[in-house]
Amino acid sequence: MLRDFQYSESESPGDGSYTSLFSQDLLKVIQEIEPIAGRMEKFIDDVKHGRVEPPISSISPAYVGSLGPAPIFRKKIVGFDEDLKELKNSLIEERTGLLMALPIIGMSGIGKTLLASCYDDPLTVQHFHTRTWTIASQEICIRDILLNLLDSMIVLDDETRKKSNDDQLAELVTSNLQGKRSRIIVTTRIQTVAQSVKEEHPWFPKPHRMHFLDEYDSWNLLRGEVFAELTCPSVLGKVGKKIARNCQGLPLAIINTGRHLAKAEKTPEYWNYIADGGFSVFADTEDVAVMVKQLSSCYKRLPQHLKSCFLYMAVFPQRYEIPASKLIKLWVAVGFLEPTPSKTLEKAAEHYLKELVDESLILVSKQSSTFGIKELTIHNAMWHLCSTLGEKHEFLHVINRYTDCILLSSARMVLDVLTVRFYNFPTEIFLLFSLRYLAATYNGGKLPDGLSNLRNLQYLIVRLHQSVKFSGAPSYLPVEIWNMKELRHLQFMGSDLPDPSGAVLPNLLTLSDVSSYSCTKEVFRGIPNLKKLGIRIVLMHHDAVEPFRPFNHLVQLKKLKSLKCVVVNPRFESQGPMWDVKDVLCGLKFLLLEDMDLVHWRSYVSSFMQLRHLSIGHCYKLEEFPDCLGKIFSVELIELVDCNPLAVALVRKLGDRQRSWEYEVFPFEVRTRFSWDDEKLNGQKNFLPLDLIEQGE
């Protein structure tokens, strides 16, 4: 993957010579990585199929056994005072019954074990005379855990210890706890472990989720590690806070940084050097082995199918908000997933993503409107782990070039140069025959016919530069596009699919940013398995396109699940006021209409039998809403943004009608927004985010 290669427009020559320079350098990049390409492909395949366990020198799980002494806790807990108070209160309160478990959940190094220091707190000791500490990892031994618990309760004779099976030992534990008030603190990274405790015992408290330290507590913790009880010199205060902020609130990283600073020279020059990135706490300290050991255990314990997916996170810059839809496309493109009869590759990738979130290895930064994952990020500590292991095993290859770096991953399968503005499309790209993912920005015009050389291409994303204006006249992709049978996703702003002449793209699942010229019966018959369609209508003064003409042939798309139609520059005086839906779109689950001059919308129950989410934005004249939507039990959410208040009232009336029915039905949720009433929007009209319009749920 070529990541974030930037060239400012002020430096970019207008005659297109920059594109030529880039093309020449691209050939050098290809030649430079050629010797390792085969090894990278083999490593990916070996890891994916479990034929190799990537060696991690001097790294092992933090706890390899089932037993262990209680850890020695720090005297001062920074930033978790309220959490500790809440946990201790839950332990000692009387009304919670005889048995209760309190799960603590969070990523590695965030302080779960530290919070469990209430195990040895004087208040806890006063209420619980018998306390024991045991460790359960993937190498869990139930027998050892049971014996450890029994040793803390009774004197166990040798015969019982040797001859009793696990069930008998468990019965002994149960009998010794009978009638006694028992509390179990469970610390875990894995969300499903914590949630299962609550699901099996609904009266237990909810899992306690650990939080990152804020800037104030981060600085207090760092300052304490460096200076202990001494005062920090004023000249180091400002830069010290910046260093603490760079640790992103992770106590393990802060403590490791503090240990280094405590031993290093305490001068503004050196501390500024660290704050500005001249030093990596994750790679340059003497104490790094302990932290790497703890973080690497998270990776080592992953099931084989998730290891490649996790290491691939390093292709994105640090602190980058990663669109979930993009990450899924990349995973599919580089071949991390195996097809199954019951799931598409994209659905399998969604499941993998949720597994990594469950393991507390990646963080969800933004939820979608239907409560899925829209954007995610990875903590700096985990990013460095991915980067270090990835480069060590030639999973990733970094080439320093220009002001940033060009990062090519997975043996030339992925090329992402959306940040580069091409004046002429570089034909050298067509030499990357194994390319599966291509994303680029260029000034428009007809693509060279050589595009069809990329027979392995699965994802093609081409965007126009913002300064490029649409001409209004149709522009078509080369007809050879119909020979690219592996295509799964096609997003091409400013160009449309030509007549297929009977050809078929059997694997195409997503088609985005096309105009009404792509919405013909012939084209739709050529993409029979399409699941997501995004239509982008640009109306010119001389254009007589009817706004609902693109919908005339949707019935050809039997597997369509998501439909989005956006009018980029609406002309309210020319659009048709009625949309009368008579076709049956039985599989459609998501529908978005944006900036359409719609007045009357009529439909039948049979047209949208599986619709779940309806989003309508800036349809100011909408007066008539399909009454049948109130009779479709699958509808979960209707969003109305800057729409006619009459339409809003009609939708709410439909929801109220559902609530009044005698038989059980879950009424849909209604969300409304009027930008003219929202001071936070500062007068901006658009509320529906572009990623919702372009990428979908």
Side-chain angles (χ1 to χ4, degrees):
M1 179 179 181
L2 294 178
R3 184 190 64 194
D4 289 347
F5 173 66
Q6 297 178 345
Y7 198 99
S8 66
E9 288 189 45
S10 60
E11 300 173 340
S12 177
D15 59 0
S17 58
Y18 161 62
T19 302
S20 176
L21 290 172
F22 178 85
S23 300
Q24 294 174 14
D25 196 68
L26 182 61
L27 284 174
K28 294 178 182 178
V29 171
I30 296 170
Q31 294 168 359
E32 187 171 338
I33 60 90
E34 191 70 39
I36 69 165
R39 298 200 303 273
M40 291 169 67
E41 286 178 334
K42 184 178 184 299
F43 177 79
I44 293 170
D45 191 64
D46 286 345
V47 171
K48 183 174 67 176
H49 292 93
R51 292 190 293 266
V52 64
E53 174 69 40
I56 304 176
S57 58
S58 68
I59 292 174
S60 59
Y63 304 105
V64 296
S66 298
L67 305 176
I72 300 174
F73 297 110
R74 300 170 55 84
K75 293 181 179 179
K76 176 66 175 175
I77 296 179
V78 178
F80 297 112
D81 296 330
E82 289 301 317
D83 303 74
L84 185 59
K85 181 180 178 181
E86 178 184 335
L87 188 61
K88 286 194 292 187
N89 288 338
S90 297
L91 284 173
I92 65 176
E93 62 181 344
E94 298 289 344
R95 61 182 179 83
T96 52
L98 294 177
L99 175 65
M100 186 177 69
L102 298 97
I104 303 174
I105 184 173
M107 71 173 285
S108 184
I110 202 170
K112 301 184 296 297
T113 304
L114 183 63
L115 187 59
S117 63
C118 58
Y119 161 90
D120 220 14
D121 184 86
L123 186 62
T124 308
V125 173
Q126 179 182 343
H127 283 78
F128 300 95
H129 302 295
T130 300
R131 300 175 314 283
T132 187
W133 185 278
T134 189
I135 300 165
S137 66
Q138 282 187 325
E139 298 81 17
I140 185 172
C141 178
I142 297 294
R143 183 177 185 83
D144 287 344
I145 290 178
L146 292 171
L147 288 171
N148 186 43
L149 292 172
L150 287 169
D151 285 338
S152 65
M153 299 177 190
I154 60 175
V155 177
L156 201 62
D157 59 82
D158 291 340
E159 184 177 359
T160 302
R161 183 183 300 273
K162 294 177 181 179
K163 295 184 178 180
S164 299
N165 59 33
D166 291 355
D167 290 337
Q168 292 169 328
L169 292 175
E171 181 60 34
L172 271 176
V173 172
T174 303
S175 63
N176 277 277
L177 293 177
Q178 195 72 35
K180 298 178 182 178
R181 191 161 58 102
S182 304
R183 299 293 183 265
I184 304 171
I185 301 175
V186 181
T187 65
T188 180
R189 292 180 298 104
I190 305 172
Q191 297 183 28
T192 52
V193 171
Q195 291 165 357
S196 65
V197 173
K198 173 67 174 176
E199 290 171 359
E200 293 179 12
H201 307 279
W203 60 92
F204 285 1
K206 292 191 301 184
H208 183 90
R209 187 174 296 277
M210 297 293 293
H211 59 83
F212 292 104
L213 297 180
D214 59 22
E215 293 186 13
Y216 176 82
D217 287 326
S218 294
W219 168 233
N220 280 343
L221 180 59
L222 180 67
R223 184 176 54 191
E225 284 292 332
V226 179
F227 299 103
E229 302 299 327
L230 301 178
T231 302
C232 172
S234 58
V235 293
L236 297 178
K238 185 176 181 179
V239 65
K241 292 177 181 178
K242 182 178 180 181
I243 294 173
R245 189 164 54 247
N246 289 344
C247 295
Q248 294 183 296
L250 186 68
L252 181 66
I254 297 170
I255 292 170
N256 198 44
T257 303
R259 288 172 179 169
H260 173 78
L261 292 176
K263 293 179 285 187
E265 54 181 305
K266 298 176 180 62
T267 62
E269 293 77 17
Y270 185 70
W271 279 39
N272 275 299
Y273 167 75
I274 293 176
D276 293 336
F279 157 89
S280 171
V281 66
F282 307 104
D284 299 340
T285 70
E286 297 176 5
D287 303 297
V288 73
V290 176
M291 186 167 69
V292 170
K293 177 181 179 180
Q294 184 169 343
L295 296 178
S296 298
S297 67
C298 305
Y299 166 78
K300 194 168 185 179
R301 293 171 185 170
L302 283 176
Q304 206 66 40
H305 66 278
L306 291 181
K307 289 184 175 179
S308 300
C309 294
F310 177 62
L311 291 184
Y312 199 77
M313 302 295 291
V315 305
F316 296 97
Q318 294 184 59
R319 305 184 186 184
Y320 182 70
E321 298 290 331
I322 306 167
S325 59
K326 180 172 184 176
L327 180 62
I328 286 171
K329 293 182 182 71
L330 292 171
W331 281 351
V332 174
V334 296
F336 289 161
L337 302 104
E338 294 289 347
T340 63
S342 59
K343 285 184 180 179
T344 64
L345 294 175
E346 286 77 9
K347 282 296 179 184
E350 288 179 13
H351 181 70
Y352 284 14
L353 184 59
K354 291 177 181 177
E355 285 188 89
L356 289 175
V357 171
D358 179 63
E359 292 278 346
S360 298
L361 293 175
I362 59 179
L363 310 170
V364 177
S365 55
K366 185 185 293 185
Q367 297 274 3
S368 73
S369 57
T370 52
F371 312 107
I373 301 174
K374 181 178 286 293
E375 290 183 358
L376 52 102
T377 187
I378 182 170
H379 193 278
N380 279 353
M382 289 299 179
W383 186 92
H384 279 278
L385 179 66
C386 292
S387 179
T388 301
L389 295 179
E391 288 197 42
K392 178 178 180 180
H393 303 298
E394 297 183 338
F395 184 83
L396 304 170
H397 183 57
V398 179
I399 305 168
N400 294 323
R401 205 55 68 83
Y402 301 105
T403 59
D404 203 335
C405 69
I406 297 175
L407 190 148
L408 192 147
S409 68
S410 306
R412 311 181 313 279
M413 293 179 185
V414 174
L415 179 62
D416 188 339
V417 284
L418 280 174
T419 56
V420 179
R421 179 181 177 181
F422 292 113
Y423 293 90
N424 297 299
F425 206 87
T427 56
E428 290 80 4
I429 288 178
F430 301 150
L431 298 176
L432 299 172
F433 301 115
S434 60
L435 202 64
R436 297 182 184 177
Y437 181 103
L438 172 60
T441 300
Y442 96 122
N443 276 12
K446 183 177 174 60
L447 272 182
D449 294 339
L451 177 67
S452 60
N453 291 340
L454 305 177
R455 296 297 178 91
N456 294 306
L457 198 65
Q458 297 179 6
Y459 296 89
L460 175 59
I461 301 170
V462 179
R463 297 178 182 172
L464 290 180
H465 193 270
Q466 292 180 350
S467 63
V468 177
K469 304 298 183 183
F470 288 96
S471 66
S475 173
Y476 292 101
L477 292 167
V479 70
E480 289 81 9
I481 193 79
W482 291 99
N483 295 329
M484 302 174 68
K485 304 299 184 182
E486 298 300 319
L487 275 178
R488 305 177 66 86
H489 176 98
L490 178 58
Q491 181 181 353
F492 206 109
M493 190 181 299
S495 290
D496 287 277
L497 284 172
D499 191 302
S501 299
V504 173
L505 294 177
N507 293 307
L508 192 65
L509 302 178
T510 305
L511 179 62
S512 300
D513 283 341
V514 296
S515 76
S516 59
Y517 297 104
S518 286
C519 301
T520 65
K521 181 185 295 185
E522 292 74 20
V523 169
F524 284 170
R525 285 179 175 174
I527 47 178
N529 296 311
L530 196 74
K531 293 188 176 182
K532 293 185 178 182
L533 174 62
I535 305 170
R536 188 181 182 94
I537 299 177
V538 181
L539 295 177
M540 310 303 292
H541 289 294
H542 59 274
D543 199 346
V545 173
E546 298 177 10
F548 301 111
R549 190 181 77 180
F551 300 163
N552 291 344
H553 305 294
L554 290 176
V555 70
Q556 303 292 332
L557 302 174
K558 306 296 185 184
K559 299 184 179 181
L560 189 66
K561 296 184 181 297
S562 174
L563 172 62
K564 305 175 181 64
C565 185
V566 179
V567 178
V568 178
N569 53 345
R571 303 199 326 270
F572 299 125
E573 74 281 0
S574 62
Q575 296 185 47
M578 178 176 291
W579 183 27
D580 192 353
V581 185
K582 296 179 180 178
D583 291 331
V584 177
L585 306 175
C586 58
L588 196 67
K589 296 182 178 180
F590 179 83
L591 174 62
L592 180 145
L593 302 174
E594 172 79 3
D595 261 324
M596 305 192 75
D597 196 25
L598 177 62
V599 179
H600 303 284
W601 179 14
R602 297 169 185 170
S603 182
Y604 304 92
V605 173
S606 59
S607 296
F608 301 106
M609 285 297 293
Q610 296 188 43
L611 189 66
R612 293 183 181 176
H613 182 183
L614 172 64
S615 184
I616 302 178
H618 312 123
C619 293
Y620 304 101
K621 297 183 179 181
L622 183 60
E623 296 178 357
E624 183 177 358
F625 209 84
D627 185 71
C628 66
L629 289 178
K631 302 174 184 177
I632 302 174
F633 297 156
S634 61
V635 176
E636 299 173 358
L637 173 64
I638 296 181
E639 291 180 303
L640 297 172
V641 181
D642 287 352
C643 289
N644 190 332
L646 180 60
V648 174
L650 289 173
V651 172
R652 293 194 182 280
K653 185 177 179 181
L654 293 178
D656 293 339
R657 185 185 305 169
Q658 277 194 351
R659 292 182 182 90
S660 67
W661 290 341
E662 294 182 0
Y663 49 91
E664 183 176 351
V665 63
F666 295 98
F668 55 78
E669 179 185 357
V670 179
R671 297 180 189 171
T672 61
R673 186 81 167 267
F674 298 98
S675 61
W676 48 84
D677 291 335
D678 192 344
E679 295 180 357
K680 293 182 180 180
L681 288 178
N682 297 321
Q684 296 180 6
K685 181 191 76 169
N686 194 14
F687 170 73
L688 295 180
L690 286 177
D691 56 355
L692 173 63
I693 294 173
E694 294 178 356
Q695 298 175 8
E697 296 296 299

